[in-house]
Amino acid sequence: MKFMHLADLHIGKNVNSYELIEDQSYILDEILNISDSNNVNVIVISGDIYDKKQPSEKAVSLFDNFLTKCSTKGKTVIAISGNHDSDERLNFGSRIFSNNNLYITGLYSGEVPFVELEDEYGPIYFHMLPFIKASLVKSYYPEEFEDEETNSYQKAVDVALKHPGLDYKARNVLLAHQFVAGSTDPLLSDSEDATADVGTVEKIGTNIFDAFDYVALGHIHIPQQVGRENIRYSGSPLCYSASEITREKSVPIVEIKEKGDVSIELIALKPLRKMRKIKGELSNLISAARALDPHERSDEFGKNGPLEDYIFATLTDEDEVPNSYDKLKDIYPRLMSLTFENSRTKALAKAEISDISTDKSFVDLMSDFYKQILGTEIDEEDFDCLKEVAKEAGIINEAD
């Protein structure tokens, strides 16, 4: 049995106010092309299909289009909900979908359902464990949680997995959307830290997955194995933060022959637009951008070329450059952020604020602060601007 492992699609996600629906549509088509070229007829999706519990019309339409294409091509899709998904919405129509080889489990109802498929080696079972909380499992099996010390995610998942009635001699695959750690914690990215979702989920050890030939995990956006090779986060198919730029996105294709005979191939994903970091003085960045071939298709850039990529820029100019954001955005229309790194910002990062008396007037207080941080006097234009902001904030009144 050969299948493809996806997770954390986050359809409908915006990054730094940029809508990524076109990029997501492109990468889903790319994924389908990879499945065709590798003779993959089963696709598993381990949660966080959508980015929000109430996805936009565009997001729902895109996922519907993806499922329709899968069905037309005769592919089986097996999916579970993640913590970003609405379990009720994903569960809607699931019994009808199953008639078209689309199996979706959004709600945990005391049992872990499975899909039985068949190949030349016999049956193979895909067990579907959506995102759960310990309290939900406890509501179905209170007797398992009489010892309060065992009231944890580790215990909850362990209890949940006891109740499908696993055939340990058969080939078993598990879809799960939880925070699983091996001897070390998995690598995280800013797109998880920003939501604080990962930090609120207790760790689950890998030892409770011994019955499974492969564990298809969702929840972490960086592709990686956990503990052993066949317990794996597929990662998100696209970068959703600057911290993921150096991590190549891929899709695992898993082949299971006889029991215990598992092979995994990671196929790199080429996005429509990459996320990139650039750094330097503004004039040099502009010159370098103008020298680029806008139709370049190298691995360094996305399929749409270097000038269409999402850019995180850092300027190192010592002197202030007026309208620097607008000047750079004229060349890179998808400029995601602009930061500054020079002697002043470095001094500011290292500065310790001390000996500034709060008894002083606003004018003297701000003058002292400016001098201590930047080592120079504040000029009249900057100070007038600062006073206007302070007035709007109600810190000082019009008479000051």
Side-chain angles (χ1 to χ4, degrees):
M1 178 68 65
K2 187 184 286 188
F3 61 91
M4 177 183 285
H5 170 197
L6 303 176
D8 297 279
L9 305 180
H10 287 276
I11 299 174
K13 187 175 183 64
N14 291 353
V15 178
N16 289 27
S17 300
Y18 284 92
E19 186 181 74
L20 301 183
I21 202 78
E22 184 183 5
D23 303 78
Q24 292 174 327
S25 177
Y26 178 88
I27 207 67
L28 288 175
D29 282 342
E30 181 85 351
I31 285 168
L32 279 174
N33 291 336
I34 291 172
S35 70
D36 287 342
S37 60
N38 287 272
N39 298 315
V40 172
N41 291 317
V42 179
I43 297 175
V44 305
I45 309 175
S46 296
D48 280 357
I49 292 168
Y50 296 115
D51 189 57
K52 296 179 180 178
K53 294 185 182 298
Q54 295 183 338
S56 67
E57 182 179 342
K58 287 182 180 179
V60 174
S61 177
L62 177 53
F63 188 53
D64 175 70
N65 187 47
F66 176 71
L67 291 180
T68 300
K69 289 179 179 179
C70 289
S71 181
T72 302
K73 290 174 176 287
K75 299 184 187 298
T76 298
V77 177
I78 304 170
I80 60 172
S81 65
N83 56 302
H84 278 254
D85 297 311
S86 167
D87 45 16
E88 293 90 351
R89 283 182 171 84
L90 277 185
N91 231 51
F92 176 80
S94 58
R95 284 176 289 183
I96 298 174
F97 296 155
S98 64
N99 294 330
N100 293 289
N101 295 322
L102 302 176
Y103 303 91
I104 301 177
T105 294
L107 286 166
Y108 173 75
S109 56
E111 297 290 338
V112 178
F114 64 85
V115 176
E116 180 182 351
L117 300 179
E118 190 89 18
D119 64 9
E120 64 268 34
Y121 297 98
I124 182 169
Y125 300 94
F126 290 83
H127 303 269
M128 307 161 71
L129 178 65
F131 178 75
I132 58 171
K133 295 184 177 181
S135 57
L136 180 59
V137 181
K138 184 178 180 180
S139 68
Y140 286 99
Y141 303 103
E143 69 281 0
E144 299 273 9
F145 293 84
E146 292 178 358
D147 180 358
E148 285 300 318
E149 292 182 3
T150 65
N151 189 9
S152 67
Y153 271 89
Q154 174 87 15
K155 177 67 174 181
V157 174
D158 190 33
V159 169
L161 293 179
K162 284 180 180 178
H163 288 274
L166 282 175
D167 180 355
Y168 286 83
K169 295 181 180 179
R171 294 173 298 162
N172 294 294
V173 175
L174 176 67
L175 285 69
H177 192 93
Q178 300 289 155
F179 185 40
V180 178
S183 56
T184 59
D185 287 351
L187 297 172
L188 303 182
S189 66
D190 290 343
S191 54
E192 294 120 0
D193 294 341
T195 63
D197 287 327
V198 172
T200 62
V201 178
E202 297 179 30
K203 298 176 189 177
I204 298 168
T206 58
N207 58 304
I208 62 175
F209 302 124
D210 290 344
F212 298 96
D213 296 87
Y214 184 84
V215 180
L217 294 173
H219 205 36
I220 305 299
H221 294 177
I222 295 176
Q224 58 195 292
Q225 69 182 63
V226 184
R228 60 182 190 268
E229 189 179 8
N230 61 342
I231 303 176
R232 180 172 293 276
Y233 287 107
S234 68
S236 59
L238 293 172
C239 287
Y240 291 134
S241 68
S243 63
E244 298 168 61
I245 287 174
T246 59
R247 308 287 182 178
E248 184 177 62
K249 296 297 183 175
S250 60
V251 58
I253 294 179
V254 184
E255 185 171 14
I256 302 179
K257 295 180 179 179
E258 295 178 345
K259 175 73 175 177
D261 185 358
V262 181
S263 60
I264 303 166
E265 181 181 8
L266 302 180
I267 307 295
L269 292 171
K270 181 79 169 180
L272 181 64
R273 305 176 184 95
K274 273 197 169 184
M275 284 188 184
R276 294 192 288 118
K277 292 181 181 180
I278 59 175
K279 181 178 179 180
E281 294 185 353
L282 180 62
S283 60
N284 293 336
L285 293 182
I286 290 175
S287 298
R290 286 174 175 164
L292 289 170
D293 178 354
H295 306 295
E296 177 66 56
R297 296 291 189 272
S298 71
D299 288 339
E300 186 180 354
F301 310 115
K303 289 286 180 69
N304 264 13
L307 302 185
E308 294 296 318
D309 286 345
Y310 296 105
I311 300 298
F312 294 82
T314 300
L315 294 188
T316 59
D317 298 80
E318 285 296 331
D319 298 322
E320 184 178 347
V321 182
N323 302 317
S324 54
Y325 181 87
D326 293 334
K327 290 175 180 177
L328 201 54
K329 192 173 174 64
D330 282 343
I331 296 178
Y332 290 110
R334 290 175 178 80
L335 179 62
M336 281 203 153
S337 74
L338 179 62
T339 57
F340 299 87
E341 185 179 303
N342 52 37
S343 59
R344 286 178 295 171
T345 61
K346 291 176 181 177
L348 183 61
K350 296 178 181 178
E352 294 183 5
I353 311 302
S354 61
D355 300 326
I356 298 180
S357 173
T358 56
D359 295 331
K360 294 182 178 182
S361 68
F362 177 80
V363 172
D364 291 338
L365 189 62
M366 290 298 101
S367 296
D368 287 353
F369 177 81
Y370 197 91
K371 187 173 183 178
Q372 185 171 139
I373 294 299
L374 298 179
T376 184
E377 299 288 348
I378 186 170
D379 61 43
E380 186 175 346
E381 183 179 353
D382 285 348
F383 193 72
D384 286 343
C385 180
L386 183 62
K387 287 176 69 176
E388 287 301 316
V389 173
K391 287 176 184 177
E392 290 183 14
I395 297 172
I396 61 175
N397 56 42
E398 293 292 334
D400 290 328

